[in-house]
Amino acid sequence: MISDKMKDLVCGSSVVRAMFEEGKNMAAKYGKENVYDYSLGNPSVNPPIEVTEAIKRVLTENDPMYVHGYMNNSGYEAVRDKVAKSLNKRFGTSFSGKNILMTVGAAGGLNVALKTLLNPGDEVITFSPYFGEYKNYVSNFDGKLIALPPNETDGFRPDPEALAQAITAKTRAIIVNNPNNPTGIVYSEKDIIAIADVLKKKSEEHGAPIYLISDEPYRELAYDGVDVPYLTKYYDNTIVGYSFSKSLSLPGERIGYLVIPDEADGSEELLAAANVANRILGFVNAPSLMQLAVAECLDCKAAVDIYDKNRIKLYGELTSMGFTCVKPEGAFYLFMKTPEDDKAFSNEAKKLHLLLVPGSSFGCPGYVRIAYCVDYDMIVRSLPAFKELSAHYGLSK
């Protein structure tokens, strides 16, 4: 018999993953070209050639036991030094290798951070809509996720007043996802300063630090010159989680890192605890080969132009059909308002072989998420189905 906790998790298993599996079944039944799968944020472009070349060099130019053996639980010292120097060059920070902990993707990093910070019953706040796994990650350590209501009237930007009202003596951390999944919104410098001001005030009021966890797998995917602020520059008690899954199209390789600045309260204790958490959660260390490979590719560029082409095409076509969408500033998701219950709308779309994820999976019913990290040709092929869906609801102009 499985645990009661896992019974609940199995029952509430990821809608996104379920739709991804259903998409594969539909493709086998109807032909891949006749199924329009917008469910999963799986990069559609190949990793940069530099990644492949780096892997070859790492394998051929190093002692095999260096490449495949154990290292410090926080990762190779040389890799962490390179990551720190790259961040300092890009953002004007002053990290050293000891501030970096290599992790099993951003998801592994978030779990390490939460394991480090949470006692049972502690609360973690996030802004809806939010990546649905946050609730499970917090629950892993017997914490409670507090999801603030969606701020639809202000384009889903964070509401500092709502944040201030939600913070209690049990609040241990805030999670922000910037650029945001599922809306594609980028929190501006003004947004971040407002959040930081609230956290400083509330930390002082409650006599304990409230940590800001910044989940940044989409940092490199921003459009129209939009700037993505680096949060450690605005709030000392910030922990940054990063992944190369989207920037280098390596989601299956599970490679990322945490940044824990010296300025954070109890930074030495935090770093030591995160190192241990990385081990005892079962990761032991981030994948060794990929640590060494990505360290050579820190200056590689994400395929922003390809995703931007998809963004412009899909947003333009859907809005011309009468759909209301949040215009993405980053990531590769389009958040579209539904004319009826989002689950019913998703089922109607599925009849036309359109796989869209209900917004209720992200704590925001009444919308669907469309992952446009797909082949451009699929977008073009899917447009008649979207047109038919629009006509079904009487949206066509």
Side-chain angles (χ1 to χ4, degrees), residues 84 87-89 91-97 99 232-233 261-263:
L87 293 173
N88 294 341
K89 179 181 177 181
F91 304 115
T93 49
S94 55
F95 304 129
S96 65
N99 299 118
T232 64
K233 299 170 71 173
D262 289 337
E263 293 78 11

Side-chain angles (χ1 to χ4, degrees), residues 234-254:
Y234 301 89
Y235 184 63
D236 287 347
N237 287 322
T238 295
I239 298 173
V240 177
Y242 184 82
S243 169
F244 295 94
S245 293
K246 318 302 181 182
S247 61
L248 297 182
S249 296
L250 298 172
E253 300 295 350
R254 312 311 306 137

Side-chain angles (χ1 to χ4, degrees), residues 225-368:
V226 171
D227 180 60
V228 183
Y230 204 78
L231 270 61
T232 64
K233 299 170 71 173
Y234 301 89
Y235 184 63
D236 287 347
N237 287 322
T238 295
I239 298 173
V240 177
Y242 184 82
S243 169
F244 295 94
S245 293
K246 318 302 181 182
S247 61
L248 297 182
S249 296
L250 298 172
E253 300 295 350
R254 312 311 306 137
I255 183 68
Y257 58 80
L258 285 180
V259 181
I260 300 176
D262 289 337
E263 293 78 11
D265 284 1
S267 62
E268 290 189 13
E269 190 176 28
L270 289 173
L271 287 162
N275 178 284
V276 173
N278 211 27
R279 184 180 79 243
I280 66 175
L281 284 172
F283 303 129
V284 181
N285 53 257
S288 57
L289 171 59
M290 295 313 300
Q291 285 190 54
L292 295 168
V294 297
E296 296 190 24
C297 304
L298 298 174
D299 294 328
C300 289
K301 303 297 183 183
V304 176
D305 56 335
I306 295 175
Y307 296 130
D308 194 24
K309 180 181 178 182
N310 290 358
R311 175 186 75 116
I312 293 169
K313 179 66 173 178
L314 196 58
Y315 178 81
E317 293 285 352
L318 293 182
T319 53
S320 72
M321 294 176 191
F323 291 109
T324 299
C325 307
V326 179
K327 189 172 185 179
E329 299 172 307
F332 41 47
Y333 304 109
L334 191 66
F335 211 46
M336 186 172 78
K337 197 168 183 61
T338 58
E340 66 166 331
D341 172 81
D342 57 314
K343 293 179 182 178
F345 179 83
S346 297
N347 287 332
E348 198 64 39
K350 197 182 302 179
K351 295 176 185 177
L352 300 170
H353 300 176
L354 289 165
L355 295 180
L356 318 176
V357 182
S360 50
S361 302
F362 306 95
C364 188
Y367 290 79
V368 288

Side-chain angles (χ1 to χ4, degrees), residues 48-62 67 248 289-298 300:
I49 188 64
E50 291 90 341
V51 175
T52 302
E53 294 303 319
I55 291 172
K56 290 177 182 178
R57 283 195 302 275
V58 169
L59 289 172
T60 58
E61 297 179 5
N62 293 281
V67 176
L248 297 182
L289 171 59
M290 295 313 300
Q291 285 190 54
L292 295 168
V294 297
E296 296 190 24
C297 304
L298 298 174
C300 289

Side-chain angles (χ1 to χ4, degrees), residues 183-262:
T183 64
I185 291 297
V186 173
Y187 296 168
S188 68
E189 183 176 57
K190 180 181 177 181
D191 294 326
I192 300 306
I193 290 173
I195 291 172
D197 286 346
V198 170
L199 296 184
K200 291 172 187 175
K201 180 180 178 182
K202 289 295 182 177
S203 293
E204 185 175 347
E205 182 181 316
H206 292 290
I210 300 172
Y211 292 91
L212 177 59
I213 301 174
S214 183
D215 181 24
E216 302 188 356
Y218 303 99
R219 162 167 286 282
E220 319 307 334
L221 303 179
Y223 311 107
D224 299 330
V226 171
D227 180 60
V228 183
Y230 204 78
L231 270 61
T232 64
K233 299 170 71 173
Y234 301 89
Y235 184 63
D236 287 347
N237 287 322
T238 295
I239 298 173
V240 177
Y242 184 82
S243 169
F244 295 94
S245 293
K246 318 302 181 182
S247 61
L248 297 182
S249 296
L250 298 172
E253 300 295 350
R254 312 311 306 137
I255 183 68
Y257 58 80
L258 285 180
V259 181
I260 300 176
D262 289 337

